[in-house]
Structures are given as C-alpha cells and as structure tokens.
Amino acid sequence: REDHAAGKWRSVSRFLSRLFDLWYDDHAHRGVRIRLFEAMIAALLGKRTGLQGVGFSPMCVLCINSDGGLENHDALRISGAQAVDTGLDVLTSPIEALFTNPVWRAPYEASLSPPHGCNDCDLRQVCRGGDVIHRYAAGRYALPSAYCDDYKQIYPCLLYTSDAADE
C-alpha cells in the first residue's frame, strides 16, 4: 500500500484507460466482453454489477477445502490464515453457522458499505471503497481500496465515454 501511494508502482489506471479505449473503440461492438468494464459502467449507471468489488456486491463466497473446511473467499488468504479460517467444516458444522462466525462476517459486513475514508468521495456509491480484498490492513477491512487513486482516474474516463455514446 505504501509503495503504491508513493507512486512506485506503475499506474493501473493508465493501463486500464488504454485497454478500455482499445476495447470500446475496436472490439465491444463486435461482441468482445470485458467483465470489469461492463461492471464498472453498470455501477456508474446505478445497476447491479454481478462482479465482486465493483458497485454494490456483498462478499458472500464460500470455499470448501478438500478436507471439508469452510473458509472465506480464498483470495483473502493474502491477508493471512486468520482472514479465511472459520474453524468450521462440512462434516460437523451446518452452513448456517457461517452467518454468525466472526471470520466470515468481517469481510461480508465490510462489503456492505464503503469505509469511512470514502464518505466525502464523489465515487463512493460507484466503487463503494473497492474490493474488500484490497481494503485489508492491521486486521480489518476498514481502508479504501489500495487502488483508490486508480479508480479516481478510470471512472471519469468511463463516464465520459458512456456519456458520449449516448449522444
């Protein structure tokens, strides 16, 4: 997160902007689909996106390990075992036990609303703080996405292009 904020990483938004232009100008009308862009445009239009981390899409992915263990979305492993290991399994735990499990509930509840740091952002209802997976730090999902600055760059480009297409 610190390296990204300090500008040490290449800009994801620059890559996405170029890819979007190429897709929108040359390939979208031919039926080529890029789910990320379709979801981002849907979010801008206030529609459900069907893509986790874009617009309003609660995190409700369950992973069942080969040993029967029930875990949160496997991508949360980047936050450590404590972020996925519910201590539940298919042999001894009903699926409903997930709904009260604190390990399961933490990312789910975080996905229901943007973090407090997003309250004054014009895009808060569109990106909703970004994917919960990119919001984890210090044992919580309370930060805006690590890609926040990139979202602030790419969403206006999508909005401008979508508006131009409507004219």
Side-chain angles (χ1 to χ4, degrees), residues 3 16 28 31 41 45-46 58 86 107 110 116 133 136 142-143 152 156:
D3 286 346
L16 288 176
I41 291 169
L45 297 173
T86 64
H116 292 296
I133 294 166
Y136 187 84
L143 297 175
K152 289 177 181 177

Side-chain angles (χ1 to χ4, degrees), residues 29-47:
H29 66 278
R30 293 185 201 161
V32 175
R33 299 181 66 197
I34 298 180
R35 285 187 335 155
L36 176 62
F37 295 141
E38 290 174 345
M40 292 174 92
I41 291 169
L44 283 166
L45 297 173
K47 298 179 181 177

Side-chain angles (χ1 to χ4, degrees), residues 13-80:
S13 63
R14 188 170 49 195
F15 166 76
L16 288 176
S17 293
R18 290 177 181 163
L19 179 60
F20 178 79
D21 289 343
L22 176 67
W23 171 72
Y24 192 82
D25 294 343
D26 300 331
H27 300 284
H29 66 278
R30 293 185 201 161
V32 175
R33 299 181 66 197
I34 298 180
R35 285 187 335 155
L36 176 62
F37 295 141
E38 290 174 345
M40 292 174 92
I41 291 169
L44 283 166
L45 297 173
K47 298 179 181 177
R48 292 190 65 86
T49 66
L51 187 62
Q52 179 183 306
V54 180
F56 180 70
S57 53
M59 175 176 267
C60 48
V61 174
L62 166 67
C63 292
I64 302 175
N65 292 333
S66 58
D67 67 358
L70 301 175
E71 293 190 345
N72 270 335
H73 192 307
D74 57 351
L76 290 170
R77 289 178 191 269
I78 63 170
S79 305

Side-chain angles (χ1 to χ4, degrees), residues 4 9 29 80 87 98-99 101 107 112 124 128 135 137 148 151:
H4 187 81
W9 291 357
H29 66 278
L98 280 172
F99 305 133
N101 184 285
L112 295 177
R124 74 182 168 283
R128 300 192 56 83
R135 291 170 41 186
C148 179
Y151 292 147

